[in-house]
Amino acid sequence: MSYPPALTKRGSIALEISPERSPPPMSPRPRSSLTPGSSISSAQTVTSSPHQKYADAWTPDDATSDSMGLLGGNVKKSRRAHAPWWRIAIGGTLFLTGLAVGLEVTSRDTRHETLLEDTVDASANCNPYDQHGVLMVNETEPSENAWLPVGAPASCDHATDFFSLITKAQRDSDAPTLPAFAHNRTILMIGDSVDRGHIVDFCHFAHGALESITVGHELDIPYPPGEERPPKDLNNPFIVNGEWPDFEQSRPKVCHVGRYNLAIVSIFFYGFRPVDEFIVTREHYYPPAAAIDRFDHILLPLLEKTAARYNVPRIPHLVTISPTFWGLLRLSQEDDANREAAKGTGMDWDEAVKKYEPFRTMSKERMVLLEGRMREFLKHVAKAWRDPAMGLGEVQKRPKILWRALHHVKEHHEVPYTGVQAIDQIGRAVVSSLRREGRAAAGGHSTWGRWVRTWSGYASYAGEHPDETEARKAGLGERLKIDEWGSLMLGMEKYFRDDLHPMPLPGGYLWGNMVLQQLKMVVDEDPTE
């Protein structure tokens, strides 16, 4: 692979979680104080129609008119004369046309509702984290950090604290352990330093064993052919003795909770932009750079090795994916360099500052680029682990895929929150369209045809021809979902370690309980898993 020439300006933000980061100790303190009170009763249903009096007003005074004398001429005639036959014919034609259009609109509305994912779920498998609520925070007592649903159905009015159950079982052999959903499972994480923090916190709160897969580790994956060593002319100050940096914080992580034989595998990646000088000259970097390449050449082989070592399933039950903050950081670094370079072009400094303002609106070109690459990556992950012998009408059910929406950050010009919001909205749009695509394919050929006519004009489909068979097999209408951890953390910036990274409480504790809830729902939906 070729690498671009070096830039002179480097970033200052530390997208890290320090090795000394130590989550608070667990305590089995009960959470009775967090149990919601009595539920609010729903409003009574109004049975009488407020429009009845208007319907009555439309009843003619002479309901039994005989304008044509067919009843013998003794019935009082209506004051409203009947229309000529040709007017009746035209009216009938218009009526039938309107009826047909109305039925089509109703069909479209029903189909639209069917394809929407934002439906109320009052089932026993309801997710409390999908409900409106309040995040309870206690900086010293882990078990007092919980999502408290508000106005939720009875099946969703309480979020189980799985970590407290694990801790009690760890300290008391007679205490009940987690149900079967947590036993012999595999979870994959694809993200950045925020996700690395999540696996560190999870392993602590779940009393697991955490390993960093550095160079020479038995689970280490060789570099891709042709990239075993960095190019000699690569200006990376972290290269030592002609070897790629072995930076522990960007190397894969594996957490194994032995009591349940639960394994979590995490890989660090750099967003959806192609390789550039900013990435390859940092201590975090080792090849390959592109998201799909890292998935294929690092994550998949690492999972195979992990499954063999711990005897856990090689097909994961959950995959969590984050778009990461690295794309924004890379754009900000480009803006800084371009702003400095503008000095030599004679551009007015104020004009250069305005042109390369990091908080400016993301360009349409960048939005379309991100949208397309997010779609490409999610569809690539969805096809992994598929049985080549899968029949034409079969649907892949595993793994479930969670798109972890970015959380709001403090003001920082290298990761501007205007860009965070843009990436969040783009990612949500991609997930929504892929879910609709999957549901349209599952609905049959006619539903698929209507969906293609509706959505194929969107930017993310430019040059792409959606494949009905592939969409049906991928089953993303049911497999793909937004991980709303970032939304639940809104307003929690006080509990950040820096401008970007949440502390273990409440952030890490919340995320861990959320992912265990998702795992439970996966197993509950299919007890054979």
Side-chain angles (χ1 to χ4, degrees), residues 424-473:
D424 177 64
Q425 290 298 302
I426 295 169
R428 289 176 182 274
V430 169
V431 169
S432 181
S433 70
L434 287 175
R435 282 173 60 88
R436 290 190 177 100
E437 178 180 314
R439 292 183 177 183
H445 187 66
S446 60
T447 303
W448 174 260
R450 289 193 296 267
W451 179 86
V452 169
R453 289 193 297 272
T454 302
W455 291 94
S456 61
Y458 278 59
S460 58
Y461 287 95
E464 179 183 347
H465 300 284
D467 186 329
E468 180 182 358
T469 301
E470 171 57 34
R472 183 173 57 253
K473 285 185 175 182

Side-chain angles (χ1 to χ4, degrees), residues 235-354:
N235 184 21
N236 185 331
F238 302 99
I239 293 175
V240 178
N241 298 325
E243 300 287 347
W244 290 109
D246 189 18
F247 188 47
E248 185 268 342
Q249 294 194 16
S250 63
R251 291 286 169 167
K253 301 285 185 291
V254 174
C255 172
H256 183 244
V257 184
R259 188 182 184 95
Y260 308 102
N261 198 31
L262 170 65
I264 303 181
V265 179
S266 174
I267 183 177
F268 195 96
F269 93 125
Y270 317 109
F272 295 103
R273 300 190 67 202
V275 62
D276 60 15
E277 188 273 342
F278 173 73
I279 288 298
V280 299
T281 59
R282 293 184 71 92
E283 59 188 335
H284 302 76
Y285 181 72
Y286 61 94
I292 289 179
D293 292 340
R294 290 184 74 79
F295 181 82
D296 290 343
H297 294 291
I298 301 177
L299 187 55
L300 292 180
L302 176 59
L303 176 61
E304 292 289 339
K305 284 190 172 184
T306 303
R309 185 189 193 194
Y310 293 111
N311 194 28
V312 295
R314 58 171 293 276
I315 300 179
H317 296 79
L318 277 178
V319 176
T320 74
I321 302 171
S322 165
T324 82
F325 291 106
W326 276 77
L328 289 176
L329 179 59
R330 293 161 74 175
L331 290 175
S332 297
Q333 290 293 301
E334 287 181 7
D335 289 339
D336 289 344
N338 290 332
R339 187 169 52 250
E340 292 295 326
K343 291 181 180 180
T345 64
M347 180 183 294
D348 179 75
W349 178 247
D350 291 338
E351 181 182 350
V353 170
K354 182 178 180 180

Side-chain angles (χ1 to χ4, degrees), residues 325 406-410 417 420 486 489-491 493 496 499-500:
F325 291 106
L406 295 179
H407 63 282
H408 191 70
V409 299
K410 297 180 181 179
Y417 44 67
V420 173
M489 284 293 293
L490 186 63
E493 291 79 14
F496 282 15
D499 293 335
L500 191 68

